[in-house]
Coordinates of all heavy atoms in Angstrom, one line a residue:
M1 N 5.1 22.6 -38.9 CA 5.5 21.3 -38.3 C 5.0 20.3 -39.3 O 3.8 20.3 -39.7 CB 4.8 21.2 -37.0 CG 5.2 19.9 -36.3 SD 4.4 19.7 -34.7 CE 5.2 20.9 -33.6
S2 N 5.9 19.3 -39.6 CA 5.5 18.3 -40.6 C 4.5 17.3 -39.9 O 4.5 17.2 -38.7 CB 6.7 17.6 -41.1 OG 7.3 16.7 -40.1
N3 N 3.8 16.6 -40.7 CA 2.9 15.6 -40.2 C 3.6 14.5 -39.4 O 3.1 14.0 -38.4 CB 2.2 15.0 -41.4 CG 0.7 14.7 -41.1 OD1 0.2 15.2 -40.1 ND2 0.1 14.0 -42.0
E4 N 4.8 14.1 -39.8 CA 5.5 13.1 -39.1 C 5.9 13.5 -37.7 O 5.8 12.8 -36.7 CB 6.8 12.7 -39.9 CG 7.6 11.6 -39.2 CD 8.9 11.3 -40.0 OE1 8.9 11.5 -41.2 OE2 9.9 10.9 -39.3
L5 N 6.4 14.8 -37.6 CA 6.7 15.3 -36.3 C 5.5 15.4 -35.4 O 5.5 15.1 -34.2 CB 7.3 16.7 -36.4 CG 8.8 16.7 -36.9 CD1 9.2 18.2 -37.1 CD2 9.7 16.0 -35.9
F6 N 4.4 15.8 -35.9 CA 3.1 15.9 -35.2 C 2.7 14.5 -34.7 O 2.3 14.4 -33.5 CB 2.0 16.5 -36.0 CG 0.8 16.7 -35.2 CD1 0.6 17.7 -34.3 CD2 -0.3 15.9 -35.4 CE1 -0.5 17.9 -33.6 CE2 -1.5 16.0 -34.7 CZ -1.6 17.1 -33.8
N7 N 2.8 13.5 -35.5 CA 2.5 12.1 -35.2 C 3.4 11.6 -34.0 O 2.9 11.0 -33.1 CB 2.5 11.2 -36.4 CG 1.4 11.4 -37.3 OD1 0.3 12.0 -36.9 ND2 1.6 11.0 -38.6
R8 N 4.7 11.9 -34.1 CA 5.6 11.5 -33.1 C 5.3 12.2 -31.8 O 5.3 11.5 -30.7 CB 7.0 11.7 -33.5 CG 7.5 10.8 -34.5 CD 8.9 10.8 -35.0 NE 9.8 11.7 -34.2 CZ 10.9 12.3 -34.7 NH1 11.2 12.2 -36.0 NH2 11.7 13.0 -33.9
L9 N 5.0 13.4 -31.8 CA 4.6 14.2 -30.6 C 3.3 13.6 -30.0 O 3.2 13.4 -28.8 CB 4.4 15.7 -30.9 CG 4.0 16.5 -29.8 CD1 5.0 16.5 -28.6 CD2 3.8 18.0 -30.2
E10 N 2.4 13.3 -30.8 CA 1.1 12.8 -30.4 C 1.3 11.4 -29.7 O 0.7 11.1 -28.7 CB 0.1 12.6 -31.5 CG -1.3 12.2 -31.1 CD -2.2 12.1 -32.3 OE1 -1.8 11.9 -33.5 OE2 -3.4 12.3 -32.1
Q11 N 2.2 10.6 -30.3 CA 2.5 9.3 -29.7 C 3.2 9.4 -28.4 O 2.8 8.7 -27.4 CB 3.5 8.5 -30.6 CG 2.8 7.6 -31.6 CD 3.9 6.8 -32.4 OE1 5.0 7.3 -32.6 NE2 3.6 5.6 -32.7
K12 N 4.1 10.4 -28.2 CA 4.8 10.6 -27.0 C 3.8 11.1 -25.9 O 3.8 10.6 -24.7 CB 5.9 11.6 -27.1 CG 7.1 11.0 -27.8 CD 8.3 11.9 -27.9 CE 9.4 11.2 -28.6 NZ 10.7 12.0 -28.5
V13 N 2.9 12.0 -26.3 CA 1.9 12.4 -25.3 C 1.0 11.3 -24.9 O 0.7 11.1 -23.7 CB 1.1 13.6 -25.9 CG1 -0.1 14.0 -25.1 CG2 2.0 14.8 -26.1
T14 N 0.5 10.5 -25.8 CA -0.3 9.4 -25.5 C 0.4 8.4 -24.6 O -0.2 7.9 -23.6 CB -0.8 8.6 -26.8 OG1 -1.5 9.6 -27.6 CG2 -1.7 7.5 -26.5
S15 N 1.7 8.1 -24.9 CA 2.4 7.2 -24.0 C 2.6 7.8 -22.6 O 2.5 7.0 -21.6 CB 3.8 7.0 -24.6 OG 3.7 6.3 -25.8
A16 N 2.8 9.1 -22.5 CA 3.0 9.7 -21.2 C 1.6 9.6 -20.4 O 1.7 9.3 -19.2 CB 3.4 11.2 -21.4
V17 N 0.5 9.9 -21.1 CA -0.8 9.8 -20.4 C -1.0 8.4 -19.9 O -1.5 8.2 -18.8 CB -1.9 10.3 -21.4 CG1 -3.3 10.0 -20.8 CG2 -1.8 11.8 -21.6
E18 N -0.7 7.4 -20.8 CA -0.9 6.0 -20.4 C 0.0 5.6 -19.2 O -0.5 4.9 -18.2 CB -0.6 5.1 -21.5 CG -1.7 5.1 -22.6 CD -1.3 4.4 -23.9 OE1 -0.2 3.8 -24.0 OE2 -2.2 4.3 -24.8
A19 N 1.2 6.1 -19.2 CA 2.1 5.8 -18.1 C 1.6 6.5 -16.8 O 1.6 5.8 -15.7 CB 3.5 6.3 -18.4
L20 N 1.1 7.7 -16.9 CA 0.5 8.3 -15.7 C -0.7 7.6 -15.2 O -0.9 7.4 -13.9 CB 0.1 9.8 -16.0 CG 1.2 10.8 -16.1 CD1 0.7 12.1 -16.7 CD2 1.9 11.0 -14.8
E21 N -1.6 7.1 -16.0 CA -2.7 6.3 -15.6 C -2.3 5.0 -14.9 O -2.8 4.7 -13.9 CB -3.6 6.0 -16.8 CG -4.4 7.2 -17.3 CD -5.3 7.8 -16.3 OE1 -6.0 7.1 -15.5 OE2 -5.3 9.1 -16.3
L22 N -1.3 4.4 -15.4 CA -0.8 3.2 -14.8 C -0.2 3.5 -13.4 O -0.4 2.7 -12.4 CB 0.3 2.5 -15.7 CG -0.2 1.8 -16.9 CD1 1.0 1.3 -17.8 CD2 -1.1 0.6 -16.5
L23 N 0.5 4.6 -13.3 CA 1.1 5.0 -12.0 C 0.0 5.3 -11.0 O 0.2 5.0 -9.8 CB 2.1 6.2 -12.2 CG 3.4 5.8 -12.9 CD1 4.1 7.1 -13.2 CD2 4.2 4.9 -12.1
K24 N -1.0 6.0 -11.5 CA -2.2 6.3 -10.6 C -2.8 5.0 -10.1 O -3.1 4.9 -8.9 CB -3.2 7.1 -11.3 CG -2.9 8.5 -11.5 CD -4.0 9.3 -12.2 CE -3.6 10.7 -12.5 NZ -4.7 11.4 -13.2
M25 N -3.0 4.0 -10.9 CA -3.6 2.7 -10.5 C -2.7 2.0 -9.5 O -3.1 1.5 -8.5 CB -3.9 1.8 -11.7 CG -5.0 2.3 -12.6 SD -5.6 1.2 -13.9 CE -4.1 0.6 -14.6
E26 N -1.4 2.0 -9.8 CA -0.4 1.4 -8.9 C -0.4 2.1 -7.5 O -0.4 1.4 -6.5 CB 1.0 1.4 -9.5 CG 2.0 0.7 -8.7 CD 3.4 0.7 -9.3 OE1 3.6 1.1 -10.5 OE2 4.4 0.3 -8.6
A27 N -0.5 3.4 -7.5 CA -0.5 4.1 -6.3 C -1.7 3.8 -5.5 O -1.6 3.6 -4.2 CB -0.4 5.7 -6.6
E28 N -2.8 3.7 -6.1 CA -4.1 3.3 -5.4 C -4.0 1.9 -4.8 O -4.4 1.7 -3.7 CB -5.3 3.4 -6.4 CG -6.6 3.0 -5.7 CD -7.0 3.9 -4.5 OE1 -6.6 5.1 -4.5 OE2 -7.6 3.4 -3.6
E29 N -3.4 1.0 -5.6 CA -3.2 -0.4 -5.1 C -2.3 -0.4 -3.9 O -2.5 -1.1 -2.9 CB -2.6 -1.3 -6.2 CG -3.6 -1.6 -7.3 CD -3.0 -2.4 -8.4 OE1 -1.8 -2.7 -8.4 OE2 -3.7 -2.6 -9.4
L30 N -1.2 0.4 -3.9 CA -0.3 0.5 -2.8 C -0.9 1.1 -1.6 O -0.7 0.7 -0.5 CB 1.0 1.3 -3.2 CG 1.9 0.5 -4.2 CD1 3.0 1.5 -4.7 CD2 2.5 -0.7 -3.6
R31 N -1.8 2.1 -1.8 CA -2.5 2.7 -0.7 C -3.4 1.7 0.0 O -3.5 1.6 1.2 CB -3.4 3.9 -1.1 CG -2.6 5.2 -1.2 CD -3.5 6.4 -1.4 NE -4.1 6.5 -2.7 CZ -3.5 7.0 -3.8 NH1 -2.3 7.5 -3.7 NH2 -4.1 7.0 -5.0
E32 N -4.1 0.9 -0.8 CA -5.0 -0.2 -0.3 C -4.2 -1.2 0.5 O -4.6 -1.7 1.5 CB -5.8 -0.8 -1.4 CG -6.8 0.1 -2.0 CD -7.5 -0.5 -3.3 OE1 -7.1 -1.6 -3.7 OE2 -8.4 0.2 -3.9
E33 N -3.1 -1.6 -0.1 CA -2.2 -2.6 0.6 C -1.7 -2.1 1.9 O -1.6 -2.8 2.9 CB -1.1 -3.1 -0.3 CG -0.2 -4.1 0.3 CD 0.9 -4.6 -0.6 OE1 1.1 -4.1 -1.7 OE2 1.7 -5.5 -0.2
N34 N -1.3 -0.8 1.9 CA -0.8 -0.1 3.1 C -1.9 -0.1 4.2 O -1.6 -0.4 5.3 CB -0.4 1.3 2.8 CG 0.4 1.9 3.9 OD1 1.1 1.3 4.6 ND2 0.2 3.2 4.1
T35 N -3.1 0.2 3.8 CA -4.2 0.2 4.8 C -4.4 -1.2 5.3 O -4.6 -1.4 6.5 CB -5.5 0.6 4.1 OG1 -5.3 2.0 3.6 CG2 -6.7 0.6 5.0
R36 N -4.4 -2.3 4.4 CA -4.5 -3.6 4.9 C -3.4 -4.0 5.8 O -3.7 -4.6 6.9 CB -4.6 -4.6 3.7 CG -4.8 -6.0 4.1 CD -4.6 -6.9 2.9 NE -3.3 -6.9 2.2 CZ -2.2 -7.5 2.7 NH1 -2.3 -8.2 3.8 NH2 -1.1 -7.4 2.0
L37 N -2.2 -3.7 5.5 CA -1.0 -4.0 6.4 C -1.1 -3.3 7.7 O -0.8 -3.9 8.8 CB 0.3 -3.7 5.7 CG 0.6 -4.6 4.5 CD1 1.8 -4.1 3.7 CD2 0.8 -6.0 5.0
K38 N -1.6 -2.1 7.7 CA -1.7 -1.3 9.0 C -2.8 -2.0 9.9 O -2.6 -2.2 11.1 CB -2.2 0.1 8.7 CG -1.0 1.0 8.3 CD -1.6 2.4 8.1 CE -0.5 3.4 7.6 NZ -1.0 4.7 7.3
Q39 N -3.9 -2.4 9.3 CA -4.9 -3.1 10.0 C -4.4 -4.5 10.6 O -4.6 -4.8 11.7 CB -6.1 -3.4 9.2 CG -6.9 -2.1 8.8 CD -8.0 -2.3 7.8 OE1 -8.0 -3.4 7.1 NE2 -8.9 -1.4 7.7
E40 N -3.6 -5.2 9.8 CA -3.0 -6.4 10.2 C -2.1 -6.2 11.4 O -2.1 -7.0 12.3 CB -2.3 -7.1 9.0 CG -1.8 -8.5 9.3 CD -1.2 -9.1 8.0 OE1 -1.8 -9.0 6.9 OE2 -0.1 -9.6 8.1
R41 N -1.2 -5.2 11.3 CA -0.3 -4.9 12.3 C -1.0 -4.5 13.6 O -0.7 -5.0 14.7 CB 0.6 -3.7 11.9 CG 1.7 -3.4 13.0 CD 2.4 -2.1 12.8 NE 1.5 -1.1 13.3 CZ 1.3 0.1 12.8 NH1 2.0 0.5 11.8 NH2 0.5 1.0 13.4
E42 N -2.1 -3.7 13.5 CA -2.9 -3.4 14.7 C -3.5 -4.6 15.4 O -3.5 -4.7 16.6 CB -4.0 -2.4 14.3 CG -3.5 -1.0 14.0 CD -4.5 -0.1 13.4 OE1 -5.7 -0.5 13.2 OE2 -4.2 1.1 13.1
E43 N -4.0 -5.6 14.5 CA -4.5 -6.8 15.1 C -3.4 -7.6 15.8 O -3.6 -8.1 16.9 CB -5.1 -7.7 14.0 CG -5.6 -9.0 14.4 CD -6.8 -8.9 15.4 OE1 -7.5 -7.9 15.5 OE2 -6.9 -9.9 16.2
W44 N -2.2 -7.7 15.2 CA -1.1 -8.4 15.9 C -0.8 -7.7 17.2 O -0.5 -8.4 18.2 CB 0.1 -8.4 15.0 CG 0.0 -9.6 14.0 CD1 -0.3 -9.5 12.7 CD2 0.3 -11.0 14.2 NE1 -0.3 -10.8 12.1 CE2 0.1 -11.7 13.1 CE3 0.6 -11.7 15.4 CZ2 0.3 -13.0 13.0 CZ3 0.8 -13.0 15.3 CH2 0.6 -13.7 14.1
E45 N -0.8 -6.4 17.2 CA -0.4 -5.7 18.4 C -1.5 -5.9 19.5 O -1.1 -6.1 20.7 CB -0.4 -4.2 18.2 CG 0.9 -3.7 17.4 CD 0.9 -2.3 17.1 OE1 -0.1 -1.5 17.3 OE2 1.9 -1.8 16.5
R46 N -2.8 -6.0 19.1 CA -3.8 -6.3 20.1 C -3.6 -7.7 20.7 O -3.7 -7.9 21.9 CB -5.2 -6.2 19.5 CG -5.7 -4.8 19.4 CD -7.2 -4.8 19.0 NE -7.5 -5.2 17.7 CZ -7.4 -4.5 16.6 NH1 -7.1 -3.2 16.7 NH2 -7.6 -4.9 15.4
R47 N -3.3 -8.6 19.8 CA -3.2 -10.0 20.2 C -1.9 -10.2 21.1 O -2.0 -10.8 22.2 CB -3.0 -10.9 19.0 CG -4.3 -11.1 18.2 CD -4.2 -11.9 17.0 NE -3.9 -13.3 17.3 CZ -3.6 -14.2 16.4 NH1 -3.4 -13.9 15.2 NH2 -3.3 -15.4 16.8
L48 N -0.9 -9.5 20.8 CA 0.4 -9.5 21.6 C 0.1 -8.9 22.9 O 0.6 -9.4 24.0 CB 1.5 -8.8 20.8 CG 2.9 -8.8 21.5 CD1 3.3 -10.2 21.8 CD2 3.9 -8.1 20.7
T49 N -0.6 -7.8 23.0 CA -0.9 -7.2 24.2 C -1.7 -8.1 25.1 O -1.4 -8.2 26.3 CB -1.7 -5.9 24.0 OG1 -0.9 -5.0 23.2 CG2 -2.0 -5.2 25.3
G50 N -2.6 -8.8 24.5 CA -3.4 -9.8 25.3 C -2.6 -10.9 25.9 O -2.7 -11.3 27.0
V51 N -1.6 -11.4 25.1 CA -0.7 -12.5 25.5 C 0.2 -12.0 26.6 O 0.4 -12.6 27.7 CB 0.1 -13.1 24.4 CG1 1.2 -14.0 24.9 CG2 -0.8 -13.8 23.4
L52 N 0.7 -10.8 26.5 CA 1.5 -10.2 27.5 C 0.8 -10.0 28.8 O 1.3 -10.2 29.9 CB 2.2 -8.9 27.0 CG 3.2 -9.0 25.9 CD1 3.6 -7.7 25.4 CD2 4.4 -9.8 26.4
S53 N -0.5 -9.6 28.7 CA -1.3 -9.4 29.9 C -1.5 -10.7 30.6 O -1.4 -10.7 31.9 CB -2.7 -8.8 29.5 OG -2.5 -7.5 29.0
K54 N -1.7 -11.7 29.9 CA -1.9 -13.1 30.5 C -0.6 -13.5 31.2 O -0.6 -14.0 32.3 CB -2.3 -14.1 29.5 CG -3.7 -13.9 29.0 CD -4.1 -14.9 28.0 CE -5.6 -14.6 27.5 NZ -6.0 -15.6 26.5
L55 N 0.5 -13.2 30.5 CA 1.8 -13.6 31.1 C 2.1 -12.8 32.4 O 2.6 -13.3 33.4 CB 3.0 -13.4 30.1 CG 3.0 -14.4 29.0 CD1 4.1 -13.9 28.0 CD2 3.3 -15.8 29.5
D56 N 1.7 -11.5 32.4 CA 1.8 -10.7 33.6 C 1.0 -11.2 34.7 O 1.4 -11.3 35.9 CB 1.4 -9.2 33.3 CG 2.5 -8.5 32.5 OD1 3.6 -9.0 32.5 OD2 2.2 -7.4 31.9
E57 N -0.3 -11.7 34.4 CA -1.2 -12.2 35.4 C -0.5 -13.5 36.0 O -0.6 -13.7 37.2 CB -2.5 -12.6 34.8 CG -3.4 -11.4 34.5 CD -4.7 -11.8 33.8 OE1 -5.0 -13.0 33.8 OE2 -5.3 -10.9 33.1
I58 N 0.0 -14.3 35.2 CA 0.7 -15.6 35.7 C 1.8 -15.2 36.6 O 2.0 -15.8 37.6 CB 1.1 -16.4 34.5 CG1 -0.1 -17.0 33.7 CG2 2.0 -17.6 34.9 CD1 0.2 -17.7 32.4
A59 N 2.6 -14.3 36.1 CA 3.8 -13.9 36.9 C 3.4 -13.3 38.2 O 4.0 -13.6 39.3 CB 4.7 -12.9 36.1
S60 N 2.3 -12.5 38.3 CA 1.9 -11.9 39.5 C 1.3 -12.9 40.5 O 1.5 -12.8 41.7 CB 1.0 -10.7 39.3 OG -0.2 -11.2 38.7
T61 N 0.6 -13.9 40.0 CA 0.1 -15.0 40.8 C 1.2 -15.8 41.4 O 1.0 -16.4 42.5 CB -1.0 -15.8 40.1 OG1 -0.4 -16.4 38.9 CG2 -2.2 -15.0 39.8
E62 N 2.3 -16.0 40.6 CA 3.4 -16.9 41.1 C 4.1 -16.2 42.2 O 4.7 -16.8 43.1 CB 4.3 -17.2 40.0 CG 3.8 -18.2 39.0 CD 4.7 -18.5 37.9 OE1 5.8 -17.9 37.7 OE2 4.4 -19.4 37.1
T63 N 4.2 -14.8 42.2 CA 5.0 -14.1 43.2 C 4.1 -13.8 44.4 O 4.7 -13.5 45.5 CB 5.5 -12.8 42.6 OG1 4.4 -12.0 42.2 CG2 6.5 -13.0 41.5
A64 N 2.8 -14.0 44.3 CA 2.0 -13.7 45.5 C 1.9 -14.9 46.4 O 2.4 -15.9 46.3 CB 0.5 -13.5 45.0

């Protein structure tokens, strides 16, 4: 194998490794964002449940 071919192969391997590292970092960022969004959604659900409970209380006192 000529030196030029070996250098090109080495470049391609290095590029592939760098691309994999970037993809791993991106995947970790996306996992963190997903966790944050899930927590945010749960908070909104809790707040909405609280508001709906208050509306139910108001509705039940009006019918009583």
Side-chain angles (χ1 to χ4, degrees):
M1 183 183 287
S2 74
N3 219 14
E4 181 183 331
L5 285 176
F6 183 75
N7 287 338
R8 285 184 13 208
L9 177 61
E10 187 178 29
Q11 265 185 330
K12 287 185 179 190
V13 169
T14 301
S15 294
V17 168
E18 289 172 356
L20 283 171
E21 289 300 319
L22 287 173
L23 288 171
K24 284 180 183 179
M25 290 188 318
E26 184 179 351
E28 180 59 30
E29 289 173 4
L30 290 171
R31 278 191 288 275
E32 290 171 1
E33 183 178 2
N34 189 36
T35 299
R36 182 186 60 78
L37 289 171
K38 283 180 180 178
Q39 291 171 343
E40 189 176 311
R41 187 195 77 216
E42 289 169 0
E43 177 62 26
W44 276 103
E45 287 176 354
R46 280 192 291 274
R47 292 176 67 189
L48 180 58
T49 300
V51 169
L52 290 174
S53 294
K54 289 179 183 179
L55 290 174
D56 286 342
E57 288 175 18
I58 292 169
S60 64
T61 56
E62 287 179 354
T63 58

